[in-house]
Amino acid sequence: MAGLEFIGVRKTYPNGVQAIHGIDMAVADGEFVVIVGPSGCGKSTLLRMVAGLETVTEGEIRIGENRVNELEPADRNIAMVFQNYALYPHMSVFDNMAYGLRNRRTPRDEIARRVAEAAGTLQLEGLLDRRPGQLSGGQRQRVAMGRAIVREPEAFLFDEPLSNLDAKLRVQMRLEIKRLQRALGTTSLYVTHDQVEAMTLADRLIVMNAGVAEQVGRPLEIYDAPATLFVAGFIGSPAMNFLPGTVADDGSGANLDGVDRTLLVAPPASAGRGRIMVGIRPEHLEPVSREEAAMEVVVELVEALGADSLVHGLLADGGEGAAVTVRLDGARRVAAGEVLSLAVAPNHVHFFDPDDGKRLA
Amino acid sequence: MVENRPWLTVFSHVVLCLGVLVTALPIWIAFVASTHPADSMLSGRTPLLPGGHMIENYATVLGSGVRAAGSIPVGTMLWNSFVMALMIAVGKIAISIIAAYAIVYFRFPLRRTCFWVIFITLMLPVEVRILPTFGVVASLGMLNSYWGLSVPLIASATATFLFRQFFLTVPEELAEAARIDGAGPFKFFRDILLPLSRTNIAALFVILFIFGWNQYLWPLLVTTDEGYYTIVMGIQRMLQAEDAEPAWHEIMATSMLAMLPPVLVVVFMQRLFVKGLIEQEK
């Protein structure tokens, strides 16, 4: 087993499109790293570069101690799980798992042993003679995992492996993947656009946007202190509320556009005295009495989820009426048109520079 | 769509029955004629029920051939046709599947040009290029041989195009998974692509076998040796018998025999054939 290292990795497609703008990072041995980002941010490209399915334009990728840029996928000692599983439709489950081993001239009894072992771990024992077409989505997913496990690779690469499953199965498989990775202790790189998957699976998270790693860190670190406006908006569901404003003259708070009173949370000194972007997560707004409120919101729409309700509204005194989302306890009944007085948890207010989007600290 | 219009049902059935009749009647008459003695076909009244000379007539054509047409046994001609059709079908499939594999899975200079050149040859059937092709085959000394009968007909743009379309529907990840599993280009072709194309190959085989079997003009040109006559051109020669009435009973018996192999191919490969045309295992 081994770690993984990216050194100044860049990717430019022959048509001139630059997909990766320079990634530098190291993945420790046995670590589970999730790359998350919107479609087209380059996360899959990065993974495919590790797999050897895309060439590296510049920089170096190392698996363990070895530079792998020039190696064929089969020689990199990795295993990949594809979004559509990419199982060989005409082969049995057993052959699907054994194919890679046979190509590497693994002895027959060794193949049988490894496949049986993987099938045991993944509860596929009774299905080894079936074809992929005769399996359910979850079972196919497990076969794809099995095909990766039997290789006993240095690293697992997952390319959105759960996005073809229904919601319930996705939660279940998510846990299974996590459990499996813990048990095997294999370094894993996992690409997804689903931030719940990202938060729950990752030891460490890479948030990517437009070919750049915007932030790398533990999931909760990123949630608590997003480094940029993009990360703040991308991690956390529903997304963080962004309210533009101006730093108060004495620096003790911020005057939000469309709010009469000053938000009494002091921005960091680096903010200066100019414009500022204030970020507040929906779960850090709390209904209080009018007097204590930091802002008032006219309720437009309520999404009752049971455990909690998502309230979408507009700032009450606002000229342009910035939209605000609030997460309330599900027991609380709110109707459209109602005015909510909200207080802000002072430790959970984020300040960003509106020009470059960087976090102010 | 479920509709309840009795007259439409009756009408469409009448049309269908007429269609079947139009197709089947000539075959039936050919069969009936092949079971009568020589003179009943020439009497001016076509019999509609089988006569009693079936075994005799078929034994004659299979054994000694039609005397007025040079007495080439039909068995020989059937065998020639079979070899030619088989070589054409297998050759076409082998060449076109490899060509399609190259065009779809490999990046090489002028890839698109190659594809379009192949595609354009669709417009040039044998009949158009028959003189130069004959010249080439003659100077290669392939006249009167199975190679001469089949090789010029083997190149196939249609089959290449069909395989290309099929390969394009095979998910790209399959090729990538195979690469990670350590399968090189040849292994991927043999282990993944070929088994996946099985039903397509079967469907194409049926079509191409019948295409090869029915070749008429080309065999007529390249064979002068009776030992290489094919059945379809053989029938035509029987009609041109000089100084004699055409031996209709024997000609019809030969026709019946000529029809048999394509029918058998269709019957035995029907399951795969239909599967290949309608569904794709993925």
Side-chain angles (χ1 to χ4, degrees):
Chain A
M1 254 163 269
L4 224 99
E5 206 173 342
F6 299 90
I7 304 165
V9 174
R10 283 168 201 277
K11 170 80 187 176
T12 311
Y13 282 107
N15 61 12
V17 175
Q18 207 173 351
I20 308 278
H21 293 265
I23 301 273
D24 282 280
M25 76 166 292
V27 177
D29 186 10
E31 198 176 19
F32 198 123
V33 170
V34 175
I35 308 173
V36 66
S39 324
C41 70
K43 55 187 192 297
S44 283
T45 309
L46 189 63
L47 191 79
R48 292 164 56 83
M49 282 158 85
V50 179
L53 300 172
E54 301 271 0
T55 54
V56 179
T57 315
E58 212 179 294
E60 188 171 294
I61 295 177
R62 288 163 168 272
I63 298 177
E65 293 302 304
N66 312 315
R67 173 186 162 102
V68 297
N69 289 30
E70 289 78 22
L71 289 183
E72 268 293 298
D75 303 327
R76 295 188 178 199
N77 218 355
I78 45 101
M80 185 152 169
V81 179
F82 292 88
Q83 177 173 359
N84 63 5
Y85 320 134
L87 300 176
Y88 310 122
H90 58 291
M91 293 187 193
S92 69
V93 168
F94 182 93
D95 290 336
N96 259 288
M97 293 204 244
Y99 186 62
L101 297 178
R102 284 189 191 136
N103 288 339
R104 304 173 130 214
R105 306 188 187 285
T106 313
R108 203 176 266 266
D109 49 337
E110 172 75 4
I111 295 179
R113 186 187 64 76
R114 287 203 206 174
V115 172
E117 205 176 284
T121 318
L122 295 162
Q123 294 143 32
L124 290 169
E125 287 110 331
L127 307 172
L128 287 176
D129 295 329
R130 302 247 190 119
R131 296 279 175 88
Q134 299 164 304
L135 302 178
S136 69
Q139 288 167 337
R140 279 184 224 183
Q141 170 67 56
R142 277 205 281 266
V143 176
M145 297 280 303
R147 190 167 65 179
I149 293 173
V150 293
R151 297 274 311 267
E152 296 178 1
E154 309 233 24
F156 287 134
L157 307 175
F158 298 91
D159 189 3
E160 310 214 15
L162 302 182
S163 46
N164 278 6
L165 298 176
D166 63 56
K168 196 178 163 200
L169 212 51
R170 201 177 308 166
V171 175
Q172 193 187 327
M173 287 307 295
R174 199 168 74 202
L175 284 173
E176 268 182 51
I177 289 181
K178 183 82 182 166
R179 205 171 289 143
L180 200 65
Q181 197 268 344
R182 282 265 166 80
L184 299 172
T186 309
T187 313
S188 301
L189 212 53
Y190 186 109
V191 161
T192 179
H193 62 264
D194 181 323
Q195 53 129 334
V196 179
E197 261 172 47
M199 294 292 285
T200 49
L201 285 172
D203 292 329
R204 240 170 2 132
L205 207 55
I206 305 176
V207 185
M208 277 190 72
N209 183 32
V212 174
E214 295 250 343
Q215 190 172 4
V216 180
R218 303 196 165 279
L220 284 180
E221 272 169 32
I222 291 181
Y223 175 85
D224 288 335
T228 64
L229 273 175
F230 172 81
V231 176
F234 194 80
I235 298 294
S237 172
M240 187 185 279
N241 298 301
F242 293 117
L243 303 166
T246 316
V247 179
D249 293 335
D250 59 356
S252 66
N255 297 310
L256 301 181
D257 298 353
V259 179
D260 292 343
R261 48 196 102 181
T262 303
L263 179 71
L264 288 172
V265 179
S270 58
R273 287 291 177 271
R275 300 287 295 167
I276 199 166
M277 186 65 90
V278 179
I280 306 168
R281 295 201 182 273
E283 48 271 43
H284 298 141
L285 285 165
E286 199 187 351
V288 290
S289 67
R290 276 205 80 165
E291 294 71 40
E292 298 168 277
M295 63 184 79
E296 294 193 307
V297 167
V298 184
V299 177
E300 252 194 343
L301 195 76
V302 181
E303 294 176 301
L305 304 176
D308 40 27
S309 301
L310 302 179
V311 178
H312 302 276
L314 297 172
L315 285 179
D317 352 294
E320 60 257 49
V324 172
T325 306
V326 188
R327 186 195 287 268
L328 294 180
D329 191 325
R332 202 186 153 97
R333 295 281 176 265
V334 186
E338 202 177 309
V339 176
L340 278 179
S341 304
L342 298 168
V344 179
N347 299 331
H348 295 289
V349 179
H350 310 270
F351 296 99
F352 300 95
D353 186 324
D355 297 325
D356 62 6
K358 291 254 162 38
R359 178 183 187 83
L360 295 169
Chain B
M1 205 162 61
V2 182
E3 275 186 278
N4 190 13
R5 292 195 204 151
W7 282 112
L8 187 70
T9 313
V10 170
F11 176 72
S12 48
H13 272 80
V14 169
V15 170
L16 282 176
C17 289
L18 278 174
V20 169
L21 212 63
V22 168
T23 323
L25 195 61
I27 297 174
W28 172 250
I29 289 179
F31 172 69
V32 169
S34 72
T35 59
H36 279 269
D39 48 356
S40 43
M41 290 310 290
L42 300 169
S43 68
R45 285 181 59 197
T46 312
L48 284 176
L49 289 174
H53 290 68
M54 179 169 165
I55 294 169
E56 187 187 320
N57 289 346
Y58 281 83
T60 313
V61 293
L62 278 174
S64 58
V66 179
R67 200 173 338 110
S71 293
I72 311 149
V74 170
T76 311
M77 293 196 285
L78 280 174
W79 173 250
N80 290 342
S81 275
F82 180 76
V83 171
M84 175 180 74
L86 203 65
M87 281 174 80
I88 291 177
V90 171
K92 267 180 187 280
I93 289 173
I95 287 198
S96 55
I97 200 169
I98 293 169
Y101 180 53
I103 286 171
V104 174
Y105 285 95
F106 293 88
R107 309 268 168 279
F108 53 90
L110 301 181
R111 187 167 68 114
R112 290 182 66 89
T113 318
C114 285
F115 174 69
W116 285 110
V117 167
I118 293 174
F119 198 67
I120 284 169
T121 61
L122 268 179
M123 289 186 270
L124 300 171
V126 176
E127 288 75 8
V128 175
R129 55 182 165 89
I130 202 150
L131 279 177
T133 309
F134 182 81
V136 170
V137 170
S139 48
L140 287 175
M142 294 201 297
L143 296 179
N144 286 320
S145 72
Y146 288 132
W147 295 111
L149 279 171
S150 55
V151 168
L153 301 174
I154 275 179
S156 170
T158 326
T160 309
F161 187 69
L162 284 176
F163 279 123
R164 172 183 178 264
Q165 293 310 99
F166 170 67
F167 289 166
L168 288 177
T169 67
V170 173
E172 223 173 290
E173 285 88 345
L174 227 47
E176 293 175 346
R179 263 183 88 186
I180 291 178
D181 270 343
F186 182 73
K187 254 191 184 151
F188 172 66
F189 181 71
R190 194 193 59 191
D191 292 348
I192 315 281
L193 223 43
L194 217 49
L196 284 179
S197 316
R198 213 183 57 228
T199 52
N200 289 54
I201 291 175
L204 217 51
F205 179 82
V206 172
I207 294 169
L208 294 178
F209 184 86
I210 293 171
F211 164 86
W213 184 269
N214 288 338
Q215 283 304 314
Y216 167 64
L217 186 56
W218 183 249
L220 204 57
L221 280 178
V222 292
T223 56
T224 46
D225 179 347
E226 291 172 350
Y228 288 103
Y229 281 2
T230 65
I231 189 85
V232 177
M233 62 177 281
I235 292 171
Q236 193 270 348
R237 286 179 53 88
M238 293 176 189
L239 290 172
Q240 291 173 335
E242 282 163 32
D243 303 330
E245 298 284 358
W248 282 113
H249 60 303
E250 290 170 351
I251 296 174
M252 287 306 159
T254 312
S255 300
M256 292 313 290
L257 289 171
M259 266 186 273
L260 208 55
V263 169
L264 290 179
V265 167
V266 171
V267 167
F268 283 111
M269 298 191 74
Q270 190 189 28
R271 207 175 52 84
L272 275 172
F273 175 67
V274 174
K275 220 171 151 191
L277 289 184
I278 57 169
E279 74 166 76
Q280 267 151 19
E281 224 182 326
K282 248 181 278 166

